[in-house]
């Protein structure tokens, strides 16, 4: 499936042809129940009736196969009493019907609708009446067969005429088609009205089932099923019951977002998010793969292979870079290139996946690609080690310097241990960048100073945002050691203080731009909203640096927010300040589920155990959060060195390995 948001012209702020709304006017999705089992989607209002309005409908590979599925029983719409997700790909809607002959206020007919993203709906009618009920059941169907991108941009077409087909209805237009079949077959099928009709007899206490199947005759690649997927069956238990639910939901959302690489269907990767970005977003796919390494290395390996196929060939200045579009960087910096971020992340993910137990054959295949990424960095960087962004003004962003430094340090470690040349040169290059950063990007002030967000045309951009968390993310080396970072000890302490302060910590997570900064907007993607994966990076970075109080506050905030979102963390939500009895405010256009948000849920929780493996050396070290902010917690079904791994952290913050590969030795 390709990217399903409106075309790039909208993202760049240019008007679209044909009266389409720009990206900033995407229809709201925060109130929809979104079932995902890619390439299948089902987007529903909480009452369960698909009316044909907005984004509602069943989709397959980005095309809406059914936009209207309207149920009437005995001439009445069921009264909706509950609608909820029961898993990443299934929703359950419950309604009741009072028939004209009902006595008293109590409904006698219950209606349950089980809707699955793969394209099925199961309608169950149950009678509590004392006498036999004879009911007319009608389902009105319709579709426009529109592409999701067109629906999002306000360019969906009219309802298409239906034709009776076998035990249901069929629609076709411009080479696309959709078929709905019913079991049992309807007694009447009226094509002009798109109506299926049954006359049903319900005995006292009995139930009847009608099942709809929505499909396209065009072959669609099957989703990646759980049994063959690359993520382990991890579970969590603990004093805080939210730990179990957040991990379960996060892993379920990740599985729902798995897509096959069209160039090689044996490889899978995570789509960026539903409903707008159901395709490969290189930087986010790598971030998600990195954050889910405790669930195994298979996803990282296949994601790296899929991206390796896109690496730009030479000759030329882009040789070795991974392609990627520009992305908004907030109110104070020009757009950033996601391809640059992905290029810098590639050797990092490969190096850390090796520590977690990446098979040797995968390493041998991918190592040359990582070397080409590093060579691109060498050619693209300035003489002082700093890396400029592509696009207007070519700014030097602090976040990008952190990514480049991590790539150099972990890349050097990878080259050295694999017997490849160049490791020492990369260590020297990283040392130059550390010196440049500490001298150039740090702003001294009476409050203790802060890192600049970057430089534009040689001038420092002083605004404090959540991207500073990346300065604390240094990466994993051998023996459970963390790599050196761009900041010295005093600067790290100051950054920890800033991240833990009220201007950055909203109470629900880390703001992407501080509340006191000019241009702050609590709904701004990089202008003040809480971006979950950025908060996860801050939590692990603060914990590793020894600032557990600040880390624990951010962790609890996200965990509280997760409960308000049914444990399905959106990619972002409002950065409004938390107050007594308040709830986190959703962003109306946020992807949900989103790969980096679901992966951040895994990353946040497994950070409590502080597992730092070194599979090539046959060791694993534990650095649990000593303050045990969520009490005792136990993880089972993780994977280290390709084998099941289980660990328990008690209420004193002491970690104990309960299951591991026999060859692994406990490090220190």
């Amino acid at each position: 499936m390709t990217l399903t948001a409106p075309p790039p012209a909208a993202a760049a702020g240019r008007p679209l042809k044909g009266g389409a709304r720009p990206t900033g006017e995407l229809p709201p999705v925060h109130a929809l129940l979104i079932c995902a089992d890619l390439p299948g989607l089902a987007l529903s209002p909480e009452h369960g009736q698909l009316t044909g309005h907005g984004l509602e409908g069943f989709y397959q590979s980005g095309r809406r196969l059914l936009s209207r599925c309207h149920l009437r029983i005995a001439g009445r719409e069921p009264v909706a009493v509950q609608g909820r997700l029961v898993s990443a790909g299934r929703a359950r809607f419950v309604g009741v019907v009072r028939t004209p002959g009902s006595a008293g206020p109590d409904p006698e007919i219950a209606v349950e609708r089980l809707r699955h993203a793969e394209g099925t709906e199961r309608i169950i009618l149950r009678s509590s009446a004392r006498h036999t009920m004879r009911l007319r059941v009608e389902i009105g169907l319709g579709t426009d067969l529109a592409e999701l991108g067109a629906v999002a941009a306000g360019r969906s077409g009219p309802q298409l005429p239906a034709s009776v087909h076998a035990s249901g209805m069929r629609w076709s237009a411009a080479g696309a088609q959709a078929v709905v079949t019913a079991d049992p077959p309807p007694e009447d099928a009226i094509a002009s009205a798109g109506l299926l009709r049954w006359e049903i007899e319900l005995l006292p206490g009995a139930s009847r089932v009608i099942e709809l199947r929505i499909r396209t005759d065009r072959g669609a690649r099957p989703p990646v099923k759980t049994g063959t997927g690359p993520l382990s069956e991890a579970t969590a238990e603990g004093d805080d019951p939210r730990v179990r639910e957040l991990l379960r939901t996060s892993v379920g959302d990740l599985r729902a977002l798995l897509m096959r690489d069209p160039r090689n269907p044996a490889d899978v990767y995570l789509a960026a998010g539903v409903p707008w970005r159901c395709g490969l977003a290189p930087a986010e796919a790598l971030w998600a793969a990195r954050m889910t390494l405790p669930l195994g290395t298979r996803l990282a390996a296949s994601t790296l292979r899929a991206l390796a196929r896109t690496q730009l060939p030479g000759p030329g200045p882009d040789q070795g870079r991974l392609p990627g579009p520009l992305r908004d960087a907030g109110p104070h910096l020009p757009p950033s290139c996601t391809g640059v971020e992905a290029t810098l992340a590639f050797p990092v993910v490969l190096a850390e996946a090796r520590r977690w137990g990446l098979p040797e054959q995968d390493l041998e295949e991918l190592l040359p690609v990582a070397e080409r990424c590093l060579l691109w960095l060498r050619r693209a960087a300035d003489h002082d080690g700093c890396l400029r962004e592509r696009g207007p003004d070519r700014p030097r962003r602090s976040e990008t310097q952190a990514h480049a430094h991590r790539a150099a340090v972990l890349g050097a470690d990878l080259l050295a241990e694999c017997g490849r040349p160049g490791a020492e040169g990369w260590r020297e290059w990283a040392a130059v960048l550390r010196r440049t950063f500490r001298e150039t990007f740090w702003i001294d002030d009476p409050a203790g100073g802060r890192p600049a967000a970057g430089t534009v045309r040689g001038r420092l951009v002083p605004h404090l945002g959540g991207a500073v968390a990346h300065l604390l993310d240094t990466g994993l080396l051998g023996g459970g050691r963390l790599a050196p970072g761009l900041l010295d000890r005093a600067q790290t302490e100051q950054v920890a203080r800033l991240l833990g302060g009220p201007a950055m910590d909203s109470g629900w997570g880390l703001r992407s731009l501080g509340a006191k900064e000019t241009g702050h907007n609590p709904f701004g993607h990089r202008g003040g909203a809480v971006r979950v994966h950025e908060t996860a990076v801050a939590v692990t970075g603060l914990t590793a640096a020894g600032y557990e109080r600040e880390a624990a506050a951010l962790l609890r905030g996200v965990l509280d927010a997760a409960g308000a979102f049914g444990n399905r963390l959106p990619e972002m939500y409002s950065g409004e300040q938390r107050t007594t009895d308040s709830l986190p405010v959703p962003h109306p256009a946020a992807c949900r589920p989103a790969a980096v948000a679901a992966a951040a849920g895994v990353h946040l929780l497994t950070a409590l155990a502080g597992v730092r493996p070194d599979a090539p050396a046959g060791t694993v070290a534990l650095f649990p959060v000593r303050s045990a902010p969520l009490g005792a917690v136990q993880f089972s079904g993780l994977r280290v060195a390709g084998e099941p791994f289980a660990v328990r952290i008690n209420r004193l913050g002491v970690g104990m390995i309960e299951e591991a590969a026999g060859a692994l030795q406990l490090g220190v």
Side-chain angles (χ1 to χ4, degrees), residues 94-434:
V94 178
V96 294
V97 178
R98 291 190 72 253
T99 60
S102 297
D106 300 330
E108 296 176 326
I109 303 296
V111 183
E112 180 182 19
R113 303 173 74 168
L114 297 174
R115 184 169 294 158
H116 198 293
E118 69 181 6
T120 61
E121 176 148 343
R122 186 177 174 85
I123 302 169
I124 307 167
L125 285 73
R126 296 186 177 90
S127 173
S128 299
R130 298 181 180 179
H131 58 280
T132 298
M133 304 282 288
R134 290 178 174 82
L135 303 170
R136 172 171 288 185
V137 177
E138 296 175 318
I139 302 177
L141 304 171
T143 187
D144 53 9
L145 288 176
E147 295 282 356
L148 178 53
V151 178
R155 293 186 282 109
S156 56
Q159 294 282 297
L160 297 170
S163 60
V164 176
H165 178 81
S167 58
M169 296 282 176
R170 181 178 183 273
W171 301 262
S172 60
Q177 53 189 357
V179 176
V180 175
T181 56
D183 184 19
E187 296 168 22
D188 291 307
I190 306 172
S192 60
L195 189 68
L196 305 181
R197 182 182 293 154
W198 295 259
E199 299 290 340
I200 288 179
E201 182 175 271
L202 269 178
L203 300 176
S207 63
R208 290 289 298 273
V209 176
I210 297 172
E211 183 167 290
L212 304 178
R213 298 192 67 83
I214 302 99
R215 61 183 175 83
T216 175
D217 286 344
R218 182 180 61 188
R221 192 171 299 284
V224 183
K225 299 299 182 183
T226 300
T228 59
L231 300 172
S232 70
E233 299 281 349
T235 60
E237 300 291 340
D239 291 341
D240 191 327
R242 298 175 300 176
V243 169
R244 178 176 65 87
E245 290 304 314
L246 179 56
L247 184 62
R248 181 185 66 83
T249 304
S250 295
V251 173
D253 282 348
L254 290 166
R255 290 192 175 120
L257 292 169
L258 287 170
M259 293 291 294
R260 298 185 186 275
D261 182 3
R263 302 188 189 195
N264 187 338
D267 288 331
V268 298
Y269 53 76
L270 290 167
V274 171
W276 314 121
R277 306 174 65 211
C278 298
L280 176 61
E284 292 177 38
L286 285 171
W287 270 107
R290 184 183 178 211
M291 287 182 163
T292 56
L293 283 172
L295 306 182
T297 63
R298 289 176 59 197
L299 176 61
S302 61
T303 301
L304 290 167
R305 281 194 295 268
L307 289 173
R309 298 181 187 108
T310 72
Q311 191 172 42
L312 297 175
D318 286 331
Q319 181 182 1
R321 184 173 65 82
L322 301 179
L326 293 179
R327 174 181 57 197
D328 175 65
H332 301 295
L333 287 169
S336 62
C337 179
T338 57
V340 169
E341 185 176 340
T343 305
L344 301 176
F346 194 104
V348 171
V349 175
L350 181 60
E352 291 191 333
R354 178 174 175 267
R355 297 294 173 197
W356 282 89
L358 183 74
E360 189 67 27
Q361 61 268 29
D362 291 326
L363 177 65
E364 291 178 0
E365 177 186 0
L366 295 165
L367 185 56
V369 185
E371 289 180 300
R372 290 193 290 272
C373 290
L374 291 171
L375 289 174
W376 173 85
L377 172 59
R378 174 84 73 180
R379 291 192 299 269
D382 291 341
H383 64 88
D384 59 0
C386 288
L387 184 64
R388 295 180 182 273
E389 290 290 332
R390 299 169 62 82
D393 299 323
R394 301 204 64 210
R396 307 204 298 183
R397 297 169 64 235
S398 291
E399 179 182 353
T400 301
Q401 311 318 312
H403 298 330
H405 182 264
R406 189 187 310 116
V409 175
L410 269 65
D413 196 54
L414 183 65
L415 294 174
E417 294 202 8
C418 294
R420 299 293 186 104
E424 192 56 38
W426 280 112
R427 294 189 181 106
E428 293 172 358
W429 184 90
V432 171
L433 180 55
R434 284 195 294 274

